[in-house]
Amino acid sequence: MARGEVVPSRQDAPGETTRRNDGPGVLEDPVYGQARVATASGRISEAMDVHSEDSRTPFSSSQLSRLDEALTLACRETGLLFTLYIGDLGTRSRERAEELHASLGDRADEAVVVAVSPGERVVEVVTGAESSRRIDDRGAKLAVMSMVASFKESDLVGGMVEGLTMLADQAGAAR
């Protein structure tokens, strides 16, 4: 996929997807509210509208910006693909995190998936073949412990940013 290329998240009937004027590479699916775009750093940013009775958003704009910056810096500094999943993982959290990792396809070898399920109080870190050579189990455990400490202080975003930073530091500079 080329940078800025728009990828529909599902097969659409002709004329069913439309482009918005929010900038290059942004896709809006008026039926399902899903979008996927390659960012300037090469990372894929994907979003999906989830409607609930509670109209409050879980993160403010500044919190989302902090998370995006942490992901971008981790990817840029290490050359690895860092992804963050926040949501329900279910009773088989490790298997679900591994499924998320496998869904990255060709990039899975160099990927690090950090899956956080606040409601279940679960954090999973899954690494691929290349990323596991650079981030050992001990480093991943230390990052998780740091995240959990922040989560206990009700700082979900700060904990995830710190965890991503620690994982990137463990991986070292791009080779």
Side-chain angles (χ1 to χ4, degrees), residues 112-129:
V112 179
V113 172
V114 178
V116 179
S117 180
E120 298 167 314
R121 298 177 181 233
V122 174
V123 178
E124 297 283 355
V125 176
V126 182
T127 55

Side-chain angles (χ1 to χ4, degrees), residues 75-97:
C75 293
R76 185 181 305 146
E77 291 172 1
T78 65
L80 298 175
L81 173 65
F82 283 81
T83 64
L84 181 60
Y85 173 86
I86 307 163
D88 185 34
L89 290 170
T91 57
R92 300 171 130 180
S93 61
R94 183 65 185 183
E95 288 176 19
R96 177 66 179 128

Side-chain angles (χ1 to χ4, degrees), residues 10 68 121 131:
R10 63 176 179 77
D68 185 60
R121 298 177 181 233
S131 56

Side-chain angles (χ1 to χ4, degrees), residues 4 34 54 75 77 85 98 104 114 120 133 140 150 158 167 174:
Q34 298 176 349
D54 188 356
C75 293
E77 291 172 1
Y85 173 86
E98 289 171 350
L104 298 172
V114 178
E120 298 167 314
R133 286 188 210 109
S150 292
L167 290 167

Side-chain angles (χ1 to χ4, degrees), residues 20-36:
R20 295 190 328 203
N21 291 330
D22 292 342
V26 177
L27 174 80
E28 178 185 2
D29 183 335
V31 176
Y32 294 100
Q34 298 176 349
R36 183 175 184 192

